[in-house]
Amino acid sequence: MNIKLRRLATLLLLSACPPLAATNFQQQSQLHSFASQSRLEFAVVSNFVSNTGTTGRLKLSNLSQLPLGAGPGNWQIYLHSIRKLSAAEQFGLQLEHVQGDLHRLSASHNFAGLQPGKTVEIQYSGNAHMVSYTDFMPRAFIVASSLKPEIFANTNTEELSRFVAPFHRPEQLLRYQQPEPDLHPIANATSRYQQNLVVNAGSVDTQALQDKILPSPREVSYQRGRTELNAQWQIVYQGRLAGEAGYLQQQLKDKGLTLQSQAGVNEQLQQKIVLLVDAKVESSEGYQLQINDNSIVIRGHDNAGAFYGVQSLLSLLPASISAQKYPLPQLTANDSPRFAWRGMHYDMARNFHGKAVTLRLIEQMARYKLNKLHLHLTEDEGWRLEIPGLPELTDIGAHRCFDLTEQRCLLTQLGTGPHRTGSGNGYYSKQDFIEILKFAAARHIEVIPEIDMPAHARAAVKAMEARYHRLKKQGDEAAARQYLLSDLADKSSYLTVQNYNDNSVNVCLDSSYAFIDKVVYELSQMYREAGLSLSTYHMGGDEVGAGSWQGSPACQALIAKGLPGVAGVADLKPYFVGKVAAILQQRQLALAGWEDGLMYDPINPFNRALFANKTVIANVWDNIWEWGVGDRAYRLANAGYQVVLSHGTHLYFDHPNEAHPEERGYYWATRYTDAARVFAYAPADLYANADRTRTGRAIDDLEALLGRALPTLQKPENIIGMQGQLWSETVRTAEQLEQMIYPRLLPLAERAWHQASWEGKKAEQKRRDSDWQQFARVMTKRELPKLDKAGVAYYLPPPGATLNGDLLLANVAYPGLAIEYSLDQGQSWLAYPANGEGVRVKSPALSQGKVLLRTKSVSGKVSRITETE
């Protein structure tokens, strides 16, 4: 049948449908027509209904030619919502929670149908406030019997405003009113302008900015004169530094400068870059950089130190050297890192973004001397690494689609929609991972793999259940149970923070530990194939759902054995950690975990003596000050754990860059985290970071707020470093990922490498502001163009602006970025003068009090648009 005949047949079929007579969808074309033409829309009504909840509205508009028939029918609508939604039956429609963020809307016998052109609205309650477009997820879809699910076209987009109503009123924009109001004002052009005045203040020494090394060296002295680097120079290196020399040669070539390179230090060469390892250079990863008339000498304590000296040299260069030469400042830098652990955590388990963006992240981490990549490889929503011998982990666990049996894929989550081709699906093959390991190692970055258990493990649990059913069907019961992670008779009842009731690995099964040992073995083999050794395994361990294992016969049997330290369900989490630690100790591996996975309760860590491992690392993340848990870093360090500062209030890059509904991200730890806030973090005095509560109330005295003494740090040597965190629930694309990471990664690297004199001292705020003024300008003028050249999609802050009569004054949080304004609602854009003195604007726009503005990078990237008040 040709296309015209098919269209005619479809039209005849639709015209033959009597009003409300057809209660079921019978043809794929009917379902497609309904989903592509109808609209599903969401709105926040009010966040002021309670301390933690919200009310909202779900609107279904039938804009197709097909009626929804009366009664149950054969259709259901599925939608994604991070907030758990509930609603009483309305108009014969029932909204119910399925699992995680997946919800279902279905019709009962009371449903009167929905005629073409008609709309129905469902009022619902959410279990938490919603003040951002990214609190909503795309790709709602409709299913009908065995027909292929169809996505509502207006939700099949990353432009969330196409299906989410605007945020205008205070009860939509603010999170709560009781027991105290949300004190965080919503950012606008005027408030940004005032906030940006500090970073834009002060005089600018252009030459000093050009000559600044990022991250800041421990010591640097500048001499008079400059050294011209050109193609006549050569790179000479000690034999063991062939990799570092090759890296430098390639980086210079990428900038437009081709230099010859040779092993062995040739003293006869007149103009040379010399790379050496010299044990006299103090401390691991330390280096000395000397730039003189005819030589640039980099001495590293070790290979890593030499590599960081190379990065400091490259830091002084622009993105491109157009004239085949570049004048460098003559200087001597003696430098070493503040922390041994300078990390970035990346969650590709919630949403997978591909290998290319991972390699770009590694490259940028290396540029700024970060040395630990913490890969969050597994989650409830996905397993992202091929494990030989366990194909279900990626065949099923790496893909989400609409399959309620979960024998083909996991339940769809996080805006993926019903198809395996949807956003967030995928995984690293074994060869991908080995390539990543080699790429990172060449840049002196250690990859820390995280396999999150016992909670946050739904992908693994369901994949191994599918494996069990496959092998049992083949008649091999023993093989089926070999790696089973769940007690199939478990009646435990719990609900996690992410609204799952079946995501805990059963810690009482021997097969669970057989699974972990298998995964650790295969990971170790991958590292070996990459020419490396796995040294640290991250078990996750966080956010175990209260009630896990209470209804498990396997756990009741284990407790009944009377094993030492296993007297009840509360002992099962430390039992699990002990078993995992023992597996790792057998393989001489360090154990790492999130803080709450290593604690009996909010105050007491597990007895460190229970674990024979030489190193047990705790990522300390939960520092909500008013909750009284902001002292866990000191408690764990004092108890003998090595601590990596990972605090939510300053180091969670999945939080918005500013308080505004159009900003991406969660806001559970703080309302926003901009680059200046990351820069101001004080690792050496954690309590000095207690600036505001979650409501935005100023904290003047943390001890008074908590009503108890705060523990002091007794073992500072156990604070081994810090890292940024990117969780990806709201991050579905590679571009979104990079906009959340960059440029916040740069001040993260600054604080991890360099300790500022003003840290933790309120009296030194002016010094901090001065340092930020300089850092922000260097970042804008020199580093953002490098990110542009590397193809990195970084975040641009909208400008601030104010109108004094017809005088438009504007500024931006990253001084040096261009500002454009429009007087015709964005049809054309004019350059705002770089001198910052303002511009007179006389146009019809002023009669409405609206001038549109945006920030623009050198490469042409633009920020989202703001408008004058």
Side-chain angles (χ1 to χ4, degrees):
M1 185 182 293
N2 63 35
I3 294 175
K4 289 184 178 180
L5 288 176
R6 279 202 301 269
R7 288 177 178 171
L8 178 59
T10 300
L11 290 172
L12 290 173
L13 176 64
L14 296 179
S15 64
C17 293
L20 297 182
T23 60
N24 296 325
F25 290 96
Q26 303 294 340
Q27 302 292 332
Q28 191 68 47
S29 59
Q30 293 177 308
L31 197 64
H32 174 76
S33 175
F34 183 83
S36 62
Q37 297 176 29
S38 297
R39 293 182 62 84
L40 200 65
E41 298 170 290
F42 302 86
V44 171
V45 175
S46 177
N47 290 303
F48 291 175
V49 292
S50 69
N51 182 35
T52 59
T54 186
T55 57
R57 182 176 65 247
L58 169 64
K59 182 165 68 172
L60 174 62
S61 300
N62 184 356
L63 304 181
S64 75
Q65 300 301 309
L66 289 165
L68 279 182
N74 69 341
W75 58 269
Q76 297 89 36
I77 291 171
Y78 286 84
L79 54 100
H80 299 280
S81 173
I82 280 292
R83 309 306 188 201
K84 185 172 180 287
L85 308 180
S86 60
E89 182 177 311
Q90 300 166 52
F91 309 106
L93 294 174
Q94 179 65 56
L95 180 64
E96 59 183 323
H97 173 245
V98 179
Q99 194 68 255
D101 86 336
L102 190 63
H103 292 69
R104 176 169 51 226
L105 183 70
S106 56
S108 73
H109 291 284
N110 299 320
F111 182 55
L114 189 65
Q115 285 275 20
K118 298 297 183 180
T119 294
V120 63
E121 293 186 0
I122 304 296
Q123 306 296 318
Y124 62 78
S125 298
N127 68 345
H129 37 256
M130 304 173 79
V131 296
S132 168
Y133 284 101
T134 62
D135 287 333
F136 296 88
M137 294 285 167
R139 297 177 191 93
F141 58 95
I142 185 169
V143 303
S145 299
S146 60
L147 299 178
K148 183 181 74 172
E150 296 282 355
I151 301 173
F152 284 93
N154 74 302
T155 72
N156 193 15
T157 177
E158 291 299 324
E159 295 180 30
L160 306 184
S161 60
R162 285 180 53 184
F163 61 90
V164 180
F167 294 79
H168 291 311
R169 304 186 307 276
E171 62 269 29
Q172 296 172 310
L173 293 164
L174 301 176
R175 295 168 293 168
Y176 31 67
Q177 194 173 35
Q178 297 295 332
E180 58 180 309
D182 184 351
L183 299 176
H184 283 288
I186 304 305
N188 56 36
T190 302
S191 67
R192 284 190 211 100
Y193 182 81
Q194 293 299 320
Q195 185 172 336
N196 293 344
L197 289 175
V198 172
V199 73
N200 283 276
S203 59
V204 178
D205 184 337
T206 304
Q207 193 64 63
L209 296 182
Q210 183 177 321
D211 295 346
K212 183 171 174 57
I213 295 171
L214 291 185
S216 301
R218 178 170 46 83
E219 297 174 3
V220 62
S221 60
Y222 293 88
Q223 290 81 50
R224 292 182 179 179
R226 304 187 77 76
T227 295
E228 185 179 278
L229 181 64
N230 56 46
Q232 304 306 310
W233 287 62
Q234 292 191 44
I235 301 168
V236 295
Y237 58 90
Q238 192 174 337
R240 65 185 282 181
L241 295 173
E244 289 73 18
Y247 177 88
L248 173 59
Q249 185 181 35
Q250 184 61 52
Q251 292 296 312
L252 291 174
K253 184 178 180 180
D254 290 345
K255 292 179 182 296
L257 195 60
T258 300
L259 271 62
Q260 297 299 311
S261 176
Q262 62 176 292
V265 179
N266 186 345
E267 298 294 342
Q268 303 303 314
L269 292 175
Q270 293 301 307
Q271 294 177 310
K272 56 185 178 291
I273 302 174
V274 183
L275 273 62
L276 301 168
V277 169
D278 186 347
K280 294 179 182 177
V281 176
E282 63 179 77
S283 74
S284 174
E285 299 182 295
Y287 70 91
Q288 183 184 78
L289 169 64
Q290 292 178 303
I291 303 178
N292 300 314
D293 284 332
N294 293 306
S295 68
I296 298 171
V297 181
I298 297 170
R299 290 183 173 87
H301 175 86
D302 45 25
N303 282 47
F307 181 77
Y308 296 135
V310 165
Q311 293 295 3
S312 289
L313 173 61
L314 293 170
S315 176
L316 295 168
L317 298 172
S320 298
I321 302 173
S322 57
Q324 296 293 304
K325 60 183 180 179
Y326 190 80
L328 292 169
Q330 295 189 7
L331 58 79
T332 299
N334 291 289
D335 200 8
S336 58
R338 169 189 203 164
F339 288 126
W341 187 296
R342 306 177 303 280
M344 185 65 208
H345 161 277
Y346 165 34
D347 163 26
M348 83 298 303
R350 260 49 178 270
N351 280 302
F352 189 72
H353 311 99
K355 181 177 68 174
V357 74
T358 307
L359 297 178
R360 282 202 300 275
L361 173 59
I362 292 169
E363 188 66 77
Q364 299 313 314
M365 287 176 62
R367 290 186 191 281
Y368 302 106
K369 306 185 176 84
L370 296 173
N371 68 345
K372 307 288 184 184
L373 175 58
H374 176 171
L375 284 184
H376 190 80
L377 293 165
T378 71
E379 254 301 340
D380 295 321
E381 297 87 1
W383 181 285
R384 306 303 181 183
L385 178 62
E386 178 185 12
I387 299 296
L390 299 176
E392 284 84 0
L393 287 173
T394 45
D395 290 348
I396 294 171
H399 297 90
R400 304 190 289 253
C401 67
F402 182 69
D403 175 15
L404 296 177
T405 70
E406 296 186 280
Q407 297 303 297
R408 294 188 297 109
C409 58
L410 298 179
L411 277 179
T412 180
Q413 298 287 322
L414 301 175
T416 293
H419 308 307
R420 283 174 65 99
T421 56
S423 66
N425 288 332
Y427 62 94
Y428 301 130
S429 71
K430 176 182 173 181
Q431 291 307 313
D432 286 339
F433 192 65
I434 291 171
E435 180 184 345
I436 288 167
L437 293 177
K438 289 180 177 179
F439 190 83
R443 289 152 180 78
H444 295 277
I445 293 172
E446 179 185 4
V447 175
I448 312 295
E450 179 184 349
I451 307 297
D452 203 351
M453 292 182 176
H456 288 282
R458 191 174 189 276
V461 169
K462 294 301 174 184
M464 291 301 94
E465 285 180 0
R467 177 183 183 276
Y468 168 81
H469 291 302
R470 173 176 65 83
L471 292 174
K472 184 180 179 182
K473 188 175 180 180
Q474 295 173 8
D476 195 342
E477 180 77 17
R481 290 187 175 275
Q482 183 179 7
Y483 299 120
L484 191 61
L485 300 175
S486 51
D487 177 356
L488 300 179
D490 193 349
K491 302 298 182 184
S492 300
S493 177
Y494 59 90
L495 192 67
T496 69
V497 176
Q498 290 80 20
N499 299 313
Y500 291 103
N501 60 18
D502 59 355
N503 76 338
S504 289
V505 167
N506 192 289
V507 301
C508 305
L509 298 174
D510 289 341
S511 53
S512 293
Y513 302 103
F515 175 88
I516 292 170
D517 199 28
K518 165 71 171 174
V519 170
V520 173
Y521 169 79
E522 296 295 348
L523 280 168
S524 298
Q525 291 300 104
M526 293 181 210
Y527 277 73
R528 291 186 181 113
E529 287 192 41
L532 305 167
S533 296
L534 174 64
S535 64
T536 302
Y537 173 90
H538 202 295
M539 67 162 189
D542 58 317
E543 296 185 324
V544 176
S548 295
W549 315 308
Q550 287 185 350
S552 165
C555 289
Q556 292 164 7
L558 178 68
I559 293 167
K561 289 181 179 180
L563 298 176
V566 187
V569 173
D571 286 332
L572 293 178
K573 191 168 76 168
Y575 171 79
F576 170 81
V577 177
K579 294 273 284 186
V580 174
I583 291 171
L584 300 181
Q585 177 62 12
Q586 285 286 324
R587 299 182 181 276
Q588 297 183 308
L589 300 178
L591 169 67
W594 298 102
E595 65 181 55
D596 46 324
L598 295 167
M599 302 186 76
Y600 293 108
D601 55 50
I603 294 177
N604 297 296
F606 295 159
N607 180 358
R608 177 62 180 83
L610 293 174
F611 314 124
N613 312 67
K614 180 180 178 180
T615 302
V616 181
I617 299 166
N619 287 96
V620 178
W621 59 278
D622 191 354
N623 68 323
I624 304 300
W625 304 109
E626 62 269 33
W627 290 356
V629 294
D631 56 16
R632 284 178 175 173
Y634 290 170
R635 291 183 183 276
L636 283 154
N638 292 343
Y641 292 88
Q642 282 70 54
V643 169
V644 176
L645 304 174
S646 312
H647 282 141
T649 57
H650 290 73
L651 303 176
Y652 266 44
F653 295 171
D654 56 306
H655 280 46
N657 278 274
E658 69 174 11
H660 192 280
E662 292 182 45
E663 288 289 327
R664 183 172 304 280
Y666 283 175
Y667 38 80
W668 66 266
T670 184
R671 186 59 186 88
Y672 69 94
T673 300
D674 58 11
R677 184 171 177 82
V678 179
F679 185 83
Y681 181 65
D685 184 0
L686 295 186
Y687 302 141
N689 297 301
D691 52 357
R692 295 186 179 277
T693 66
R694 290 209 307 166
T695 66
R697 178 160 51 92
I699 301 174
D700 299 317
D701 187 332
L702 182 58
E703 186 173 300
L705 175 67
L706 301 181
R708 61 170 174 80
L710 298 169
T712 58
L713 179 60
Q714 304 297 320
K715 297 181 179 180
E717 67 276 11
N718 283 339
I719 305 291
I720 63 170
M722 58 182 281
Q723 69 180 28
Q725 278 63 231
L726 191 287
W727 302 97
S728 66
E729 289 97 330
T730 68
V731 180
R732 286 173 290 276
T733 70
E735 180 181 21
Q736 292 167 0
L737 173 76
E738 292 185 326
Q739 287 175 345
M740 298 302 281
I741 293 176
Y742 307 101
R744 290 186 283 196
L745 181 137
L746 277 69
L748 165 74
E750 175 75 3
R751 287 285 68 78
W753 184 271
H754 177 76
Q755 181 167 353
S757 61
W758 44 259
E759 284 187 37
K761 302 173 184 177
K762 291 186 178 180
E764 295 288 337
Q765 184 171 343
K766 288 185 178 179
R767 179 71 178 274
R768 184 190 73 193
D769 290 344
S770 177
D771 274 8
W772 173 239
Q773 290 163 8
Q774 185 182 55
F775 186 93
R777 285 173 169 82
V778 175
M779 185 174 73
T780 302
K781 288 292 189 179
R782 199 176 66 203
E783 303 307 316
L784 294 188
K786 292 179 183 178
L787 293 178
D788 276 322
K789 187 175 181 183
V792 173
Y794 53 84
Y795 173 81
L796 286 172
T802 185
L803 277 171
N804 291 335
D806 62 355
L807 178 64
L808 175 67
L809 296 171
N811 58 21
V812 67
Y814 304 160
L817 288 174
I819 300 172
E820 295 183 331
Y821 66 99
S822 174
L823 304 176
D824 55 12
Q825 295 301 299
Q827 295 182 50
S828 61
W829 292 90
L830 305 170
Y832 180 81
N835 59 22
E837 295 178 359
V839 61
R840 298 288 176 181
V841 289
K842 294 182 179 180
S843 81
L846 290 186
S847 65
Q848 304 172 8
K850 304 291 184 184
V851 177
L852 302 186
L853 299 103
R854 66 186 185 187
T855 308
K856 189 174 185 178
S857 72
V858 174
S859 66
K861 291 187 177 76
V862 294
S863 71
R864 58 181 174 81
I865 295 170
T866 189
E867 61 184 26
T868 56
E869 299 300 300

